[in-house]
Amino acid sequence: MEIRKYTYDIRGDERGNLVALECMKEIPFDIKRVYYITDTQTDVVRGHHAHKNLKQILICVHGSCKIGLDNGKEKAEVLLDKINEGLYIESDMWRTMYDFSEGAVLLVLASELYDEADYIRNYDEFINYVNNK
Ligand code: TYD
């Protein structure tokens, strides 16, 4: 499976780090929604769903976590542990988020507003959906 990771410039100086992200430059879609995940326990697995249309960029802006990807044919695991690394997740991709380090903050930039109808939350349904496309 092709993993699309972006590495962003860190505009840091002696005062600290700054990473700037602009639509259609660093982010390959118009951002309609931003959310972030914090205080997730190390033994918790989040996600367990796919999206029919939504595209996302995930950046672990503090600490680290792992992202499990599954397109119905292949699986992959991606470690996110850099403030300037974005993982692009296409639609039709089953994802899990796990192994959150203490204090990890996962920032998610999304191409669409929240829409429960866009979710596939059952794995068998996901496999049927991608196989019938
Ligand atoms: P959930 O989909 O369970 O999170 P994860 O993908 O990390 O497993 O979302 C948790 C709750 O937050 C759930 O009640 C839906 C709600 N939610 C929103 O209201 N808006 C959003 O943009 C997102 C991502 C979730």
Side-chain angles (χ1 to χ4, degrees):
M1 178 194 309
E2 188 204 348
I3 306 291
R4 272 176 72 181
K5 262 187 178 180
Y6 292 81
T7 302
Y8 306 123
D9 290 340
I10 301 181
R11 298 167 202 285
D13 54 31
E14 64 286 349
R15 298 169 299 166
N17 294 326
L18 189 153
V19 178
L21 307 172
E22 292 190 13
C23 295
M24 310 319 291
K25 290 185 185 169
E26 289 82 4
I27 307 299
F29 49 76
D30 278 330
I31 299 166
K32 287 207 185 137
R33 178 165 55 107
V34 174
Y35 62 93
Y36 39 91
I37 293 170
T38 70
D39 297 280
T40 291
Q41 300 299 312
T42 332
D43 57 350
V44 162
V45 183
R46 306 191 61 116
H48 293 293
H49 64 254
H51 288 281
K52 295 175 188 166
N53 293 311
L54 184 77
K55 290 144 187 72
Q56 296 179 315
I57 289 272
L58 276 60
I59 306 168
C60 197
V61 293
H62 188 257
S64 65
C65 67
K66 286 180 188 152
I67 312 297
L69 299 174
D70 178 348
N71 63 10
K73 294 188 178 70
E74 292 174 279
K75 295 183 201 298
E77 180 181 82
V78 180
L79 172 70
L80 291 181
D81 63 352
K82 295 182 184 66
I83 61 159
N84 67 327
E85 200 168 75
L87 172 66
Y88 179 68
I89 305 187
E90 254 289 8
S91 42
D92 299 342
M93 186 74 79
W94 189 263
R95 87 285 310 277
T96 50
M97 295 90 97
Y98 51 95
D99 278 1
F100 285 82
S101 69
E102 205 181 316
V105 179
L106 181 63
L107 176 69
V108 181
L109 310 175
S111 66
E112 307 297 334
L113 302 179
Y114 179 71
D115 175 13
E116 191 55 42
D118 188 59
Y119 279 75
I120 306 173
R121 292 194 183 271
N122 177 284
Y123 187 72
D124 293 339
E125 197 184 310
F126 166 68
I127 294 298
N128 282 336
Y129 181 80
V130 289
N131 286 340
N132 290 325
K133 270 199 135 179

